[in-house]
Amino acid sequence: MSETTAELAPLQVGESRLHAVDGTLLLHIKDIPGSIHVDADTEFGASEQFTGASLSPDGEWLAVTTDGVAHSAGWLVRVGNRDPQPAAFQYGGDLALGPWSENGRYAVFEAEGPAPSHTLAVVDRQNLGATVSENSAAVRIPDHEAQVPAHARYTAVGWRSGELVFEVDGGRYRFDPYSLDVIVE
């Protein structure tokens, strides 16, 4: 853990404010845009309250989740910048934070959809655009590329050698964020 990470963590997450352990205000809900751009043509409101936050291992970025009336959004924010970038979105469901990669380049968002299904998305903080579709890579096993079946459960186990290890319904896989390939363990 870097010195900066040690100074900020653990984070204190309230509905409207996100503080460092020493009480320093890191982010206010008013810093989050009122809507999230899912793609070039679609946006939804999902920013009424904070639901979670985690700090990258190098202490440079925050992964944040917010809820609106019926949707959840995920954001990446450089510490001290207060300029959130859209990272994940769940229509009619919830988002939670998964593990950061060891080097802090990749954040994982866990989505619980209304189907119900549980899926994962990986966001590369070094290649952020203006929309969720530009920023978020869906983690899918080959059998689920067309559609994730209801009741499928993707679970992030952790990062190993730059790859996300995850499980789906008892099977273990690895996701390579560089190639976007999924490998059976």
Side-chain angles (χ1 to χ4, degrees), residues 1-164:
M1 184 180 289
S2 75
E3 185 176 315
T4 304
T5 305
E7 292 170 2
L8 297 176
L11 301 174
Q12 299 168 0
V13 181
E15 286 186 8
S16 63
R17 292 177 178 84
L18 175 61
H19 291 93
V21 69
D22 67 1
T24 302
L25 179 66
L26 297 174
L27 209 55
H28 192 283
I29 196 67
K30 292 178 184 175
D31 297 324
I32 305 292
S35 61
I36 188 165
H37 292 273
V38 176
D39 57 36
D41 301 319
T42 311
E43 66 180 273
F44 291 94
S47 304
E48 293 181 1
Q49 65 182 6
F50 290 117
T51 56
S54 68
L55 187 64
S56 63
D58 60 9
E60 294 182 14
W61 287 79
L62 295 165
V64 178
T65 54
T66 59
D67 274 348
V69 172
H71 315 299
S72 295
W75 309 87
L76 289 186
V77 185
R78 182 179 279 286
V79 172
N81 186 321
R82 293 191 181 182
D83 183 25
Q85 302 300 310
F89 178 76
Q90 180 57 53
Y91 183 84
D94 293 314
L95 284 173
L97 298 164
W100 281 91
S101 62
E102 303 98 327
N103 63 4
R105 179 174 176 175
Y106 299 98
V108 176
F109 290 86
E110 302 176 352
E112 183 74 36
S117 63
H118 191 269
T119 58
L120 303 172
V122 173
V123 180
D124 180 353
R125 74 180 199 194
Q126 292 182 3
N127 295 304
L128 295 173
T131 68
V132 172
S133 63
E134 291 176 82
N135 299 339
S136 183
V139 177
R140 302 289 185 270
I141 61 174
D143 291 348
H144 297 170
E145 285 179 0
Q147 182 175 357
V148 176
H151 303 288
R153 183 160 189 85
Y154 283 67
T155 304
V157 174
W159 289 85
R160 185 176 65 224
S161 302
E163 295 178 328
L164 175 65

